[in-house]
Amino acid sequence: MSQKLKKTIRIFLIIFTGVAIAAIWKIASNHFYTNRDYQDIIKSGEINIITTYNSPNYYIENDSIIGFQHDLIHHIFKDKNLKLNITVVSNINEEIDDFRRGKYDLIAGNIIGSKEIKEELALTFPIITNKQVLVQRNDSTNIQSQLDLAKKTLYVIKNSPAIYRIKNLSNEIADTIYIEEIDKYGQEALPTLVSYKDIDYAVCDEIIAQNASDSLQNIDINLAIGFTQFYSWAVNYDSPELLDSLNIWIKGFRKTDEYKKIYGRYYR
């Protein structure tokens, strides 16, 4: 056997072994997770939460972590004697598979209560109302009506719930609306991409668009894509006791002056 062939075989074996180990580790890792209900969480003394990094929900300002979701999480759980393990990501939709496997107990984010989402996740009592808006520039590309979206390309973050609404809107206007999904950024980046002419049209939450418009003077966010919707937190369907507990806590907290202060601090 030639030295070249021996070297090729060794490289193949190294690559094969590496791939095999990675595959085994991934399979084994999945078994480390299990969907937990409230009593399991209480026994462990900690809860695993995932949320999204963006303004105004969860972000860093002057070396401090602040935001609507940040404050809401800490006020909801402040008397529960639980350690809060908070994982912050740019796009929660990319973490849904891990969430289903039990890596996280709670999604603390603005989850739209659409039919499709409700089939996958158990949603809590609404924490806020919001809607999807078109982000565009105040220039020659500006449009004034949903009918003008025909043949336009709208950018959304990957697996965004807005996709369902855009498809329905396409049916309503009886014309094609093209959808492009962005997987490198979260919602907060979309208004900036529009402002700097990387893209012409994007769809995101009105609250995020409003915050962006304070600094991006050339964007227009006045055209609504859908009606006002309820936004909630989410748990797995295997966690009914946790869902019931959260609903009680959220309903009670939304009636307090503290909730109004938190809402007023971050939202118009």
Side-chain angles (χ1 to χ4, degrees):
M1 184 181 296
S2 67
Q3 292 297 320
K4 184 176 182 181
L5 180 58
K6 288 181 180 180
K7 184 177 181 181
T8 301
I9 292 174
R10 283 199 301 270
I11 293 173
F12 173 79
L13 289 174
I14 291 171
I15 294 173
F16 176 81
T17 302
V19 171
I21 291 173
I24 293 171
W25 173 253
K26 183 174 182 180
I27 294 172
S29 296
N30 289 341
H31 294 296
F32 293 162
Y33 306 134
T34 180
N35 289 329
R36 307 190 303 169
D37 208 348
Y38 187 51
Q39 291 304 316
D40 302 313
I41 293 169
I42 291 296
K43 290 178 182 177
S44 72
E46 56 187 24
I47 183 168
N48 301 316
I49 302 171
I50 183 171
T51 191
T52 307
Y53 185 90
N54 62 46
S55 171
N57 287 312
Y58 203 103
Y59 61 103
I60 297 175
E61 183 175 279
N62 298 326
D63 297 326
S64 297
I65 299 175
I66 62 174
F68 178 75
Q69 298 296 345
H70 171 272
D71 291 4
L72 200 61
I73 290 168
H74 284 82
H75 277 83
I76 290 291
F77 288 100
K78 69 177 181 179
D79 298 323
K80 307 302 184 294
N81 296 319
L82 290 172
K83 178 185 177 184
L84 306 181
N85 299 324
I86 301 175
T87 299
V88 185
V89 298
S90 61
N91 186 356
I92 283 179
N93 296 313
E94 296 179 353
E95 305 293 327
I96 293 299
D97 287 341
D98 279 345
F99 176 72
R100 286 174 174 168
R101 289 197 296 266
K103 183 176 181 179
Y104 311 105
D105 304 305
L106 168 66
I107 298 178
N110 292 339
I111 308 298
I112 300 176
S114 66
K115 178 183 177 182
E116 293 79 8
I117 292 296
K118 288 179 179 179
E119 290 176 353
E120 299 182 15
L121 305 172
L123 302 184
T124 66
F125 185 81
I127 58 170
I128 199 173
T129 57
N130 200 359
K131 62 183 177 183
Q132 301 283 312
V133 297
L134 181 73
V135 181
Q136 57 181 330
R137 290 185 302 279
N138 288 309
D139 60 18
S140 59
T141 63
N142 191 274
I143 60 178
Q144 300 297 315
S145 168
Q146 291 181 351
L147 294 173
D148 296 329
L149 291 171
K151 302 296 190 296
K152 297 295 191 298
T153 299
L154 308 187
Y155 286 79
V156 300
I157 61 170
K158 188 175 181 180
N159 299 322
S160 168
I163 294 171
Y164 304 119
R165 174 55 194 153
I166 296 170
K167 289 180 177 179
N168 288 335
L169 185 57
S170 180
N171 292 330
E172 291 169 12
I173 67 173
D175 210 331
T176 302
I177 301 175
Y178 301 105
I179 302 172
E180 287 288 341
E181 298 181 62
I182 295 177
D183 59 3
K184 294 181 180 179
Y185 310 104
Q187 280 198 82
E188 195 174 35
L190 295 178
T192 302
L193 293 175
V194 172
S195 177
Y196 284 82
K197 299 184 179 182
D198 293 304
I199 59 178
D200 288 328
Y201 307 103
V203 176
C204 69
D205 292 348
E206 182 182 38
I207 291 171
I208 289 177
Q210 285 178 338
N211 278 273
S213 67
D214 289 338
S215 57
L216 303 173
Q217 301 298 321
N218 66 331
I219 64 170
D220 177 351
I221 60 170
N222 293 314
L223 183 60
I225 295 299
F227 301 107
T228 298
Q229 296 174 298
F230 293 118
Y231 282 50
S232 305
W233 286 355
V235 300
N236 279 295
Y237 276 108
D238 293 333
S239 309
E241 189 179 354
L242 175 60
L243 179 64
D244 289 342
S245 298
L246 286 167
N247 282 337
I248 292 171
W249 300 338
I250 293 171
K251 284 180 182 179
F253 189 60
R254 283 201 58 174
K255 296 176 182 177
T256 66
D257 290 337
E258 188 60 37
Y259 173 85
K260 295 175 183 177
K261 289 179 182 178
I262 293 174
Y263 182 90
R265 187 179 302 143
Y266 299 107
Y267 295 147
R268 298 175 185 174

